[in-house]
Amino acid sequence: MQCFISLRKTALFLFFIMSLKPTLSTGTNEVPRRMVGGYSPANVRDSNVIEAAELVVRNLKEGQGPIERYNFEFPAGSGTSGNFEIKILDASQQVVAGMNYKLQIGIFVGLTCIGGISSTVYRDLQGNFSVSSYGTELPCEEVERLESGSPKEDE
């Protein structure tokens, strides 16, 4: 009889454990698990994120990227790093054989937005950066929305 009760308690305990959800729960808010190998948020102040963003803009400014695809223009005489400012609006990273950085970058002259771009940059295991893709242009309205942290109108 003692063995039967012990088996019954064990079976009930196992049933309880198996019925738990695979996500962490905090009241009504569930925290989903991250997909292995997927992108995760990156700190926009991280030195590698900053270097990646600077590479994208420098390449465009120096004519090494497809600047003709975009409607914004850098100020005349601005050099490769002067008279304009870049702001990293959003960044995520993906661990590969190195690191991929997916960026959204705003470009400003003073407080005035001149445009923005989304881009992906790869950093290899030796620390060398290269632009993987020059993405879509971000209109100033989108740059300013991202900068302010406001949600999209359709959300």
Side-chain angles (χ1 to χ4, degrees):
M1 185 68 163
Q2 187 75 359
C3 183
F4 177 73
I5 292 173
S6 179
L7 285 174
R8 187 173 173 194
K9 286 182 180 177
T10 302
L12 285 172
F13 177 74
L14 288 173
F15 177 77
F16 172 76
I17 294 297
M18 292 174 64
S19 67
L20 294 176
K21 286 186 168 187
T23 57
L24 301 175
S25 182
T26 56
T28 59
N29 298 328
E30 291 186 355
V31 180
R33 294 183 180 177
R34 284 198 188 127
M35 179 175 48
V36 175
Y39 278 90
S40 60
N43 184 339
V44 297
R45 293 183 186 93
D46 178 86
S47 62
N48 289 318
V49 171
I50 293 167
E51 190 170 345
E54 288 173 344
L55 174 67
V56 170
V57 176
R58 183 174 55 248
N59 282 359
L60 288 173
K61 176 71 177 126
E62 294 175 351
Q64 296 176 24
I67 189 67
E68 67 280 352
R69 285 185 7 196
Y70 305 107
N71 290 316
F72 57 84
E73 291 184 23
F74 291 95
S78 63
T80 57
S81 62
N83 296 341
F84 65 92
E85 178 182 347
I86 64 171
K87 292 183 183 176
I88 304 165
L89 306 167
D90 191 38
S92 55
Q93 61 189 15
Q94 177 188 38
V95 177
V96 291
M99 187 73 76
N100 282 328
Y101 296 99
K102 196 181 290 186
L103 308 169
Q104 292 185 312
I105 305 164
I107 305 168
F108 295 81
V109 174
L111 298 175
T112 304
C113 172
I114 63 168
I117 184 173
S118 61
S119 187
T120 303
V121 176
Y122 171 69
R123 181 178 54 88
D124 67 22
L125 295 172
Q126 289 72 40
N128 302 308
F129 289 82
S130 60
V131 179
S132 303
S133 69
Y134 293 92
T136 58
E137 180 175 356
L138 302 174
C140 285
E141 297 80 25
E142 179 71 3
V143 168
E144 290 162 0
R145 185 193 64 76
L146 287 167
E147 187 179 28
S148 72
S150 300
K152 283 186 176 180
E153 288 184 16
D154 59 350
E155 291 181 357

